[in-house]
Amino acid sequence: MTSPTLATLGSDLQKAAGRRAYADVQVLAVRIGEAAAAEVRSLPAGDAGIREMAAWLADLFRRTEILLRIARASQAAELRRVTFLRRYLLPQQDRRAARVKLSL
């Protein structure tokens, strides 16, 4: 079983991934790894808790990776939509003016 500290860090990691806070995800992932390593070091060799911790970490990072992939795909779709809308929302004359290059 994971400690309350690890459970809180895991929850924070999932929330950060969902809100696209990529820097926070990186910091939290490192903190979780360090906290899990410290917890495992406190267990005797061969303890079943070590396997449980490894399984919990693998599951947490797998779910976080999925959330990050969804966030990145969503962000890419938003950028494509902005590009598409800019093309059709700018008046015709502004679109032509945006392509004109002056050589001085």
Side-chain angles (χ1 to χ4, degrees):
M1 191 65 181
T2 60
S3 69
T5 303
L6 276 173
T8 301
L9 285 172
S11 175
D12 291 347
L13 177 68
Q14 299 278 297
K15 289 175 187 173
R19 68 175 190 272
R20 300 180 197 165
Y22 302 122
D24 292 345
V25 168
Q26 182 178 3
V27 169
L28 286 165
V30 170
R31 282 189 194 160
I32 288 171
E34 290 170 348
E39 202 168 304
V40 166
R41 278 193 296 271
S42 70
L43 298 173
D47 190 296
I50 296 171
R51 281 199 179 116
E52 289 176 17
M53 179 64 68
W56 180 81
L57 280 173
D59 183 55
L60 175 68
F61 289 148
R62 181 188 54 79
R63 287 183 284 127
T64 302
E65 179 185 13
I66 291 168
L67 287 171
L68 289 171
R69 287 177 184 262
I70 291 168
R72 288 177 56 199
S74 171
Q75 195 168 25
E78 288 175 12
L79 290 172
R80 282 192 298 273
R81 192 170 27 250
V82 166
T83 303
F84 177 80
L85 290 174
R86 284 194 64 183
R87 185 179 315 144
Y88 292 101
L89 292 178
L90 284 176
Q92 185 68 27
Q93 61 190 4
D94 290 345
R95 281 190 282 169
R96 275 186 268 130
R99 292 188 203 136
V100 174
K101 185 176 183 180
L102 296 176
S103 297
L104 300 175

